[in-house]
Amino acid sequence: MSPDSKSSDGLVVDSTLQSICYKRGSLQLLDQRKLPLETEYLDIQDATDGWNAIRDMVVRGAPAIAIAAALSLAVEVANLKDFNGTSGDAASFLEIKLEYLVSSRPTAVNLSDAAIKLKEIVLKAASTATVPGSVFQAYIEAAEVMLDDDVASNKAIGSYGAIFLQHQRKNSKRFSVLTHCNTGSLATAGYGTALGVIRALHAEGVLERAYCTETRPFNQGSRLTAFELVHEKIPATLIADSAAAALMKEGHVSAVIVGADRVAANGDTANKIGTYSLALCAMYHHIPFYVAAPLTSIDLSISSGQEIIIEERSAKELLHSRGGLGEQVAASGILVWNPAFDVTPANLIAGIITEKVLSLSPSLCVYVHIDIHHTRACVSISY
């Protein structure tokens, strides 16, 4: 894969729609802060580089963050020379690095979930390994499996979502969907979650139009989602965040589909700031509001959205243009409140679409079985 290839007319070709370019011992992350005007990949050599890339929004999107973190450490240990220690020391080394990576962005559950799973694999390997290299090898292989699994789960989400929405819209052959932030190939290892559903609807020939919000203050919608939609030749329109209610009132929106950074056991969902506002508008205008996310985004350890830690971003993102990267646009001395996420209550969510199951949940108050956790949760999931 060539991370810097471009077409003759200046548009970025398929390879540059990948946020993560990996081969064993080497990792490059697409610097999404510079899209859509520049395409630049940054070399990630260790966990510290990975932590900085995640914190500084070089890579973003809950699934992509988890994969990038895991692979940054895989690259570090793949190139590690002369490790002096036992198998247990190697496991401890990896555990400490994983905890460090989780601290980069605390709201997205995918990152902490990946870290927990990788720790379990590392400890199991250490219990039988006679040399530290075997522990490192087990970690590298597990991180690579996560990369492959993310792409597969994204495509399943898109397929399930397209089938589900067509079933729900029996009286309409074609319909339009509004989405928020960026949930496509750039937010995942490939294909996307909510944007993956939109891709699948377009492939089925039933999508009238996709609408994307600009998603201030970092403009993930105007910079990234619009970029992906144009590239895929999907009929799409960009709107200001504040225009969503008016668009719904005009009857142009059949459904709203967003991603998720964390879903609580009762169905409350944390996602990019502004998601809650869209859900309220959708409820008022009798438009179904759906969440599309992998099962790794569902956190049954917390009972409700009140327990979700909401990250607060730098004031500079509001005070300066281009999400903090440009010139100052606000008055000096003004105070800023800049939460990265908000929590949408479960009663505003019509359903949750995952890679394993379809969540048909008009009220999100019917307790049903989630087989992979062998427990029950207030997220209505059916096969």
Side-chain angles (χ1 to χ4, degrees), residues 216-218 313-325 327-331 334-339:
R216 290 182 178 270
F218 214 69
R313 301 288 299 174
S314 167
K316 190 176 181 181
E317 292 182 355
L318 284 178
L319 297 175
H320 293 248
S321 65
R322 297 174 53 223
L325 301 177
E327 62 191 20
Q328 183 174 335
V329 294
I334 188 69
L335 297 179
V336 170
W337 182 54
N338 184 24

Side-chain angles (χ1 to χ4, degrees), residues 3-26:
D4 55 357
S5 56
K6 294 184 179 180
S7 63
S8 59
D9 58 3
L11 292 177
V12 184
V13 298
D14 278 343
S15 63
T16 59
L17 289 184
Q18 297 297 318
S19 59
I20 299 168
C21 293
Y22 172 81
K23 62 181 180 180
R24 186 166 293 187
S26 172

Side-chain angles (χ1 to χ4, degrees), residues 273-338:
I273 191 73
T275 302
Y276 179 32
S277 299
L278 287 179
L280 288 169
C281 289
M283 171 84 59
Y284 181 82
H285 292 96
H286 308 291
I287 296 169
F289 180 95
Y290 299 107
V291 171
L295 284 170
T296 53
S297 294
I298 299 176
D299 186 357
L300 297 180
S301 71
I302 56 175
S303 61
S304 75
Q306 292 183 340
E307 299 175 53
I308 298 175
I309 299 172
I310 299 299
E311 173 192 355
E312 290 197 29
R313 301 288 299 174
S314 167
K316 190 176 181 181
E317 292 182 355
L318 284 178
L319 297 175
H320 293 248
S321 65
R322 297 174 53 223
L325 301 177
E327 62 191 20
Q328 183 174 335
V329 294
S332 297
I334 188 69
L335 297 179
V336 170
W337 182 54
N338 184 24

Side-chain angles (χ1 to χ4, degrees), residues 8 19 43 55 59 70 78 85 111 124 128 139 176 196 236 241 248 254 282 302 339:
S8 59
S19 59
D43 288 318
R55 188 65 183 176
V59 62
L111 178 53
K124 183 178 180 180
T128 58
Y139 175 85
S176 296
D241 291 351
M248 294 180 193
S254 308
I302 56 175

Side-chain angles (χ1 to χ4, degrees), residues 64-88:
I65 286 171
I67 300 300
L71 292 178
S72 70
L73 181 52
V75 168
E76 178 173 347
V77 297
N79 297 316
L80 195 61
K81 298 178 180 179
D82 302 324
F83 180 81
N84 294 318
T86 65
S87 298

